[in-house]
Amino acid sequence: MSLETTLFALLAALVIEAVAGYPDAVYRRIGHPVTWIGGLIGALDQRLNRETWSATARKLGGVVALAIVIAVPVAIAFVVQRSLAGNYTGDVILAVIASTLIASHSLYGHVRDVATELETGGLKRGRSAVAKIVGRNPQSLDEPGVARAAIESLAENASDGVVAPVFWFAVLGLPGIAAYKAINTADSMIGHRTVRHEAFGWAAARLDDFVNLPASRLTGLLIATAAAISPGASPGAALWAVSRDAHNHRSPNAGWPEAAMAGALGFKLNGPKRYGETLTDDAYMGDGRADLNSGDIRRALSLAAVAWAVMVVAVAAAWFIART
């Protein structure tokens, strides 16, 4: 697939996804590519992650499972791309398929719902809404904690759910975005340090860290760029927070967008969190206000939307250059 075709399909996918997202009616009827991948991961987890096996055997099983989880969607994506690319209709269909693997529409909606529920239903409903997008115990969160959790999820998933799929499609086309979503889904399902998955999910967690490296850095830069054209935001503070705080995050990637968001808007994000009964001693991102509210969630949403718009403009400019 030529660079021009790749960029056209990517630009069209971004527009389609931003406008329509993934329709609920389609999801109810056929599910979603991520749920299909998740079903494969679940089946392999049952077959290749036996409690009676040694840690080494379970780690090897995880490597084999991950290879299968990547190979199946990549092979399908390769065949689909090869059969579609090269004419306008095929490129549009390719864009529609790619749009299902980008998540700006759903991410924006879920985070906006947290702000709305805090405003209309109070803390109880805010906790219920934020529980849909974070893994920590929502019952331990007060209103500022709910707001911070929503903004942190927005920043991190702006990279994982939006910029990373776009990056890998730009680099490797439909097989690239399919491989990325397979790896990212595997990490979300089995890449945890639990008794069952610490060995089996080792490969998924390590590979997910690697494939998210470029996008996390790009997301930090996009947020800083968006801050330069957003009233009340500071691009300099965003870059300073990234340079000072990002490397202190326990994730090698999440610190970049979280620190950029915190610095740009004058927030203090991350810090100690409770997952179940476990309290983590995480570093703070930014040194601004920690007492956040629903209005601050909406400020973060506006900044993220501008950052995504900057990305769309960059893709459009690259496509225009590739055409000439």
Side-chain angles (χ1 to χ4, degrees), residues 94 129 138 167 190:
L94 193 63
F167 174 84
I190 62 174

Side-chain angles (χ1 to χ4, degrees), residues 77-302:
F78 179 81
V79 172
V80 170
Q81 178 174 288
R82 190 177 181 87
S83 64
L84 290 176
N87 62 81
Y88 179 77
T89 301
D91 294 345
V92 171
I93 296 172
L94 193 63
V96 171
I97 295 170
S99 75
T100 69
L101 301 176
I102 303 170
S104 67
H105 190 278
S106 61
L107 175 59
Y108 189 97
H110 283 308
V111 176
R112 181 191 56 206
D113 287 348
V114 178
T116 300
E117 293 297 341
L118 281 174
E119 292 163 353
T120 61
L123 179 58
K124 182 177 180 179
R125 284 171 56 178
R127 285 172 171 168
S128 178
V130 84
K132 298 175 183 178
I133 57 173
V134 300
R136 71 196 73 169
N137 180 9
Q139 300 308 312
S140 68
L141 301 175
D142 56 9
E143 183 172 343
V146 169
R148 287 196 304 273
I151 294 168
E152 290 159 12
S153 180
L154 171 65
E156 182 175 359
N157 285 292
S159 176
D160 293 1
V162 184
V163 179
V166 169
F167 174 84
W168 287 109
F169 187 92
V171 173
L172 295 173
L174 194 63
I177 195 173
Y180 172 77
K181 294 303 290 189
I183 295 165
N184 191 241
T185 304
D187 176 63
S188 68
M189 291 182 64
I190 62 174
H192 309 294
R193 291 184 176 178
T194 61
V195 173
R196 177 165 180 79
H197 289 129
E198 184 166 13
F200 185 74
W202 170 83
R206 298 291 78 74
L207 188 56
D208 185 71
D209 286 344
F210 176 75
V211 297
N212 276 301
L213 280 170
S216 63
R217 277 67 177 167
L218 284 171
T219 306
L221 290 174
L222 283 169
I223 291 172
T225 303
I229 53 177
S230 298
S234 171
L239 293 173
W240 171 247
V242 167
S243 66
R244 185 192 61 192
D245 298 333
H247 67 280
N248 292 323
H249 202 290
R250 66 185 174 119
S251 164
N253 296 310
W256 289 74
E258 285 187 23
M261 183 73 75
L265 297 176
F267 297 161
K268 180 184 284 187
L269 299 176
N270 203 43
K273 305 183 191 69
R274 186 173 295 279
Y275 294 88
E277 299 302 318
T278 302
L279 180 65
T280 65
D281 186 24
D282 293 343
Y284 285 104
M285 302 289 110
D287 53 9
R289 291 186 299 112
D291 188 19
L292 306 184
N293 55 45
S294 62
D296 294 314
I297 297 176
R298 295 191 185 280
R299 289 181 63 204
L301 282 166
S302 295

